[in-house]
Amino acid sequence: MLSTTSIIFAIVLFVNSFCTPALARRYPCDDILVRKEWRNMFNDEKAEYIKAVQCLQDQPAVDPAYPEAESRFDEFQAHYMKQADTVHNLGQFLPWHRHFIRTFENALRNECGYKGATPYWDWSQDADSNSSISASPIFDSVTGFGGDGKSGTYTLPANDMKDKEIRPSAFKGCVDNGPFADYTLHVGPGKLRTSHCLTRSISDGAKKFMSSSAVSTLSKSSTFEVFRTQLEAVSDDGHVMIGGEMSSPYSSPGDPLFYLHHANIDRIWWNWQQLAPATRFFTVTGPATKTPPVHEVGVDYVLNMGSLGLSVPIRDTLDLLSKPNCYTYL
């Protein structure tokens, strides 16, 4: 008899096979990972994911972008810090983050023995609620990622004030419960390289921009450029909503929630792609650089992962059901 997981996988693969044109299937997958929303996972699945993240936090860095990065987890954060100016507010924002999340997923599986897929956090479910975002199951201290920062437990370094990307009000304090309460980050916040606790400052100010109706509205965008800029703005709102490390466009991967947040951004993009697969599977537009000479991004643009894993051109990220992606969303 087939297991529930096998049945779900078969249904997802069957549905997606009709949504994706054969032309886009450049390298057919042998297996498809199914990413689930955090609250739809069993507690043992949640525990296995968190255990794998903690494994990366215990693994030594391989060849980090900054020498202060001690763990493999730090190494992902350090690479992001170095690449941030080349991937934000640019045409490659969505494909670069798609491949970054997949590279992190590969590290969990290949280096820490994780058998599952990266979960995603559909924060629109929490934004639609009358409760505070802080009440989301994602912040549970036992089956989640721990809650808000505790006031008075963290002070930004004095020279942090020189970093315009850092807002002191976003650093309420250290997360003092959950699986990452005792973890020490070795790079960040912002562009700094300091040893510090995981910080948060959860707020509800951005809820209206992250509701299901807001996501539905942006998904009606007919062009990639309009869709990409609007979705990136929503992504920024999510970072600010969590605060602390997540509020920085440089060091945000220091919060393990970064990966679930961006998996959801990726899911929204994937859903938008499937509304018109014949064209949206091949379309990426926008500037590739911020300084002259500015040129348009294209599918041959290489997404640099450095020591983290395989660097690939954008064209290899556009179809989730082709290698090297081979995952989908449930």
Side-chain angles (χ1 to χ4, degrees):
M1 180 179 293
L2 291 174
S3 67
T4 301
T5 300
S6 298
I7 294 172
I8 290 173
F9 168 76
I11 293 173
V12 169
L13 190 58
F14 177 78
V15 171
N16 276 288
S17 68
F18 284 94
C19 296
T20 311
L23 186 61
R25 192 88 1 94
R26 299 178 70 235
Y27 306 109
C29 299
D30 300 318
D31 297 293
I32 303 290
L33 290 176
V34 180
R35 294 180 176 177
K36 303 176 185 177
E37 210 278 334
W38 182 256
R39 73 199 83 208
N40 292 334
M41 296 170 64
F42 294 111
N43 285 343
D44 60 340
E45 293 176 313
K46 296 176 181 178
E48 285 301 311
Y49 178 76
I50 288 174
K51 179 182 177 182
V53 174
Q54 291 174 321
C55 166
L56 278 191
Q57 293 177 334
D58 290 334
Q59 294 282 92
V62 175
D63 185 19
Y66 302 121
E68 291 84 357
E70 296 183 7
S71 72
R72 189 71 165 135
F73 184 84
D74 291 341
E75 190 169 358
F76 273 83
Q77 184 187 19
H79 181 75
Y80 194 87
M81 289 169 63
K82 194 166 187 176
Q83 295 291 313
D85 287 327
T86 69
V87 300
H88 289 112
N89 301 307
L90 293 166
Q92 58 268 25
F93 173 79
L94 290 175
W96 193 93
H97 282 80
R98 171 174 283 179
H99 191 52
F100 183 71
I101 300 302
R102 182 61 171 124
T103 302
F104 184 77
E105 184 175 66
N106 284 339
L108 294 178
R109 291 172 58 82
N110 298 333
E111 300 173 33
C112 288
Y114 180 55
K115 302 301 183 183
T118 298
Y120 66 94
W121 173 29
D122 181 6
W123 22 253
S124 66
Q125 294 186 43
D126 302 298
D128 288 347
S129 168
N130 291 327
S131 300
S132 169
I133 287 289
S134 61
S136 171
I138 204 82
F139 296 114
D140 191 274
S141 62
V142 177
T143 60
F145 291 75
D148 201 4
K150 184 177 180 180
S151 296
T153 56
Y154 177 74
T155 302
L156 285 166
N159 62 348
D160 235 5
M161 302 304 293
K162 300 177 182 178
D163 188 341
K164 296 180 181 179
E165 298 293 342
I166 290 182
R167 297 180 300 105
S169 62
F171 288 81
K172 181 178 179 180
C174 300
V175 174
D176 66 347
N177 60 62
F180 305 105
D182 297 323
Y183 183 67
T184 299
L185 299 166
H186 299 101
V187 289
K191 300 176 184 178
L192 297 179
R193 307 172 200 175
T194 66
S195 294
H196 60 286
C197 63
L198 172 61
T199 57
R200 289 188 189 135
S201 183
I202 302 171
S203 62
D204 291 331
K207 280 182 66 175
K208 63 181 180 181
F209 303 115
M210 307 182 70
S211 65
S212 57
S213 61
V215 172
S216 176
T217 297
L218 75 87
S219 295
K220 294 176 183 176
S221 304
S222 60
T223 67
F224 177 83
E225 186 64 2
V226 172
F227 175 77
R228 189 268 303 170
T229 54
Q230 291 182 346
L231 185 55
E232 185 166 3
V234 171
S235 175
D236 291 344
D237 289 330
H239 282 263
V240 172
M241 177 179 70
I242 297 171
E245 205 77 41
M246 273 286 280
S247 68
S248 167
Y250 294 96
S251 59
S252 49
D255 191 329
L257 280 175
F258 170 94
Y259 297 95
L260 281 73
H261 169 61
H262 272 282
N264 194 46
I265 294 295
D266 182 56
R267 180 184 69 93
I268 293 170
W269 178 28
W270 175 240
N271 290 341
W272 181 83
Q273 285 181 286
Q274 292 182 92
L275 294 175
T279 55
R280 294 179 182 178
F281 273 47
F282 306 96
T283 303
V284 176
T285 60
T289 58
K290 296 176 183 176
T291 56
V294 174
H295 59 276
E296 189 81 0
V297 73
V299 295
D300 293 323
Y301 181 96
V302 176
L303 307 170
N304 177 22
M305 291 297 121
S307 63
L308 304 182
L310 186 68
S311 296
V312 302
I314 283 176
R315 70 172 71 252
D316 286 353
T317 70
L318 298 179
D319 179 11
L320 295 193
L321 300 182
S322 290
K323 295 177 180 178
N325 306 308
C326 299
Y327 68 89
T328 190
Y329 290 96
L330 181 63

